[in-house]
Amino acid sequence: MWFKKKVGIDLGTANTLVYVVNKGIVLNEPTVVAYSQEDHDILAVGEDAREMLGRTPNTIVAARPMRDGVIADYTTTSAMVTYFLRKALNGRILWPEVMISIPGGSSQVEKRAVVAACKQAGASDVYLIEEPLAAAIGAKIPISQPSGHMIVNIGGGTAEIGILSLGQLVVFKTVRIAGTKLDEAIIHHMRKKHNMHVGERTAEEIKMKVGNAHILEPEKYEEIKMEVRGRDTQSGLPKIMEVGEISITEALQKPLKQIIEGIKEVFGESPPELSADIVDKGIVLSGGTALLINLDKFITYYTGVPAYVVDEPLFCVIRGIGMAIENLDSYKKAIR
């Protein structure tokens, strides 16, 4: 007897994760595609394509087909989803059932683009699940209770802020500020403050090594420093310099405060009883950008509500998708 495979996909701006029922998470690769400029032939996908970022000749483009959590390049995204499905299912795409995450409050056009990309890649049925809901399930929050829980899932392209109760999103907001915008802020800061051009990959490395969301007393802080290589903006020659946490913290403040504004807006729209529940339980942080040092302290400082990061925040959404697709019948009833 032949059974349809059930596959969960967390199609993120920075990374794509794939979950196969009975196998678990089988794939975690960067959401990057390299293709030929002339005929749009796909040359590399995932980690291989990421290695090409900022290093390609004019005939090859290495790019992220997802922008701010939504599809920016439909053809390339479809080819990428096909590649990831084939890799996850050992080369045989036999009309699997696919559940894929979308930003909370996605428009009908954005939803249709995701469904069409999956169907073109070979999926038979496509189910959509909103990221805040998937993240809450993955974080093992007891969302079915009549009690308020807040999840802030900060990925590569979006910060998904949601308040849940009785298994549903009560209030949610998608802020198009997340990991990639933090990288852009570092690039801009390095150019303005240190007269140095750095690329996307270098900015991401700086964020991961010396990125810090919150330093209360910089004059007393023993900062970590790293060596950065780039190009001098004035001479155009290669340049090597040391950059520390305090300088990068300054660069990250503006985009991080925009996420705080989003959290405040969600609180402002939520029923008072749910807000009171969240003050007791705290704000749950998930997504790859939640790994930024002291992000929980930063959010607590500006909102007055305790915040904490879940274990393995990068895998929170894909775990939630996996749990939902493993209990597909229950999930279908819940979303009717």
Side-chain angles (χ1 to χ4, degrees):
M1 192 176 178
W2 177 67
F3 292 98
K4 273 186 189 177
K5 289 273 188 187
K6 289 180 181 175
V7 180
I9 302 174
D10 174 14
L11 188 62
T13 305
N15 293 289
T16 295
L17 294 97
V18 180
Y19 181 102
V20 177
V21 172
N22 298 326
K23 286 187 178 178
I25 300 165
V26 294
L27 190 137
N28 175 13
E29 290 211 29
T31 310
V32 185
V33 179
Y35 58 88
S36 162
Q37 187 83 286
E38 281 179 29
D39 48 17
H40 265 65
D41 265 5
I42 304 294
L43 305 173
V45 178
E47 194 56 60
D48 293 339
R50 186 178 175 274
E51 292 294 322
M52 298 181 187
L53 279 174
R55 295 190 170 115
T56 56
N58 292 336
T59 54
I60 296 170
V61 176
R64 298 184 187 274
M66 303 287 291
R67 278 273 174 270
D68 301 334
V70 294
I71 293 173
D73 183 336
Y74 174 78
T75 312
T76 312
T77 303
S78 182
M80 181 181 69
V81 172
T82 306
Y83 169 86
F84 287 143
L85 279 176
R86 190 169 285 135
K87 192 168 180 182
L89 298 171
N90 300 320
R92 292 175 297 174
I93 304 177
L94 295 170
W95 305 105
E97 288 184 287
V98 170
M99 183 177 284
I100 188 161
S101 60
I102 51 164
S106 293
S107 69
Q108 288 303 316
V109 173
E110 289 165 352
K111 288 177 184 177
R112 279 199 296 270
V114 173
V115 171
C118 291
K119 292 219 165 175
Q120 197 171 326
S124 60
D125 299 302
V126 181
Y127 304 97
L128 303 178
I129 182 168
E130 288 167 319
E131 272 175 39
L133 184 59
I137 295 168
K140 295 180 179 165
I141 294 171
I143 55 170
S144 59
Q145 296 173 0
S147 176
H149 299 271
M150 180 181 254
I151 184 112
V152 180
N153 183 66
I154 313 171
T158 60
E160 300 286 333
I161 306 156
I163 291 178
L164 301 104
S165 179
L166 291 168
Q168 299 283 327
L169 282 166
V170 180
V171 188
F172 59 86
K173 183 175 178 63
T174 297
V175 180
R176 311 269 185 199
I177 303 284
T180 51
K181 284 285 190 284
L182 297 184
D183 297 342
E184 285 169 23
I186 290 169
I187 291 169
H188 179 72
H189 177 81
M190 292 298 292
R191 190 165 59 237
K192 195 176 174 185
K193 187 131 190 200
H194 301 292
N195 293 322
M196 188 180 193
H197 271 302
V198 295
E200 199 180 307
R201 285 193 65 189
T202 304
E204 190 179 12
E205 201 180 321
I206 292 169
K207 178 183 72 183
M208 289 164 78
K209 286 190 178 173
V210 295
N212 194 327
H214 194 57
I215 298 173
L216 264 182
E217 297 177 319
E219 59 283 351
K220 294 180 185 175
Y221 189 76
E222 284 185 35
E223 62 176 338
I224 301 165
K225 296 193 174 186
M226 72 173 281
E227 190 181 81
V228 177
R229 294 158 190 260
R231 195 179 80 228
D232 192 288
T233 54
Q234 291 169 333
S235 68
L237 295 169
K239 182 178 178 179
I240 300 172
M241 66 171 291
E242 260 197 351
V243 173
E245 281 176 282
I246 293 166
S247 175
I248 300 306
T249 300
E250 186 190 319
L252 299 175
Q253 292 308 292
K254 190 180 174 184
L256 288 176
K257 279 177 182 169
Q258 286 174 283
I259 295 172
I260 293 292
E261 288 309 309
I263 293 171
K264 287 179 180 176
E265 273 182 51
V266 169
F267 271 125
E269 291 171 24
S270 74
E273 281 79 8
L274 294 184
S275 295
D277 291 340
I278 292 154
V279 170
D280 292 336
K281 296 187 183 81
I283 299 169
V284 181
L285 305 178
S286 66
T289 304
L291 292 165
L292 183 69
I293 293 167
N294 287 337
L295 183 62
D296 49 351
K297 289 178 185 168
F298 177 85
I299 290 172
T300 301
Y301 183 81
Y302 283 102
T303 62
V305 181
Y308 65 93
V309 182
V310 297
D311 292 335
E312 298 184 306
L314 183 64
F315 301 112
C316 223
V317 171
I318 193 64
R319 277 208 203 98
I321 297 168
M323 288 161 82
I325 200 164
E326 280 187 354
N327 302 283
L328 194 54
D329 293 335
S330 306
Y331 178 74
K332 281 183 196 169
K333 283 175 193 166
I335 59 171
R336 266 178 200 154

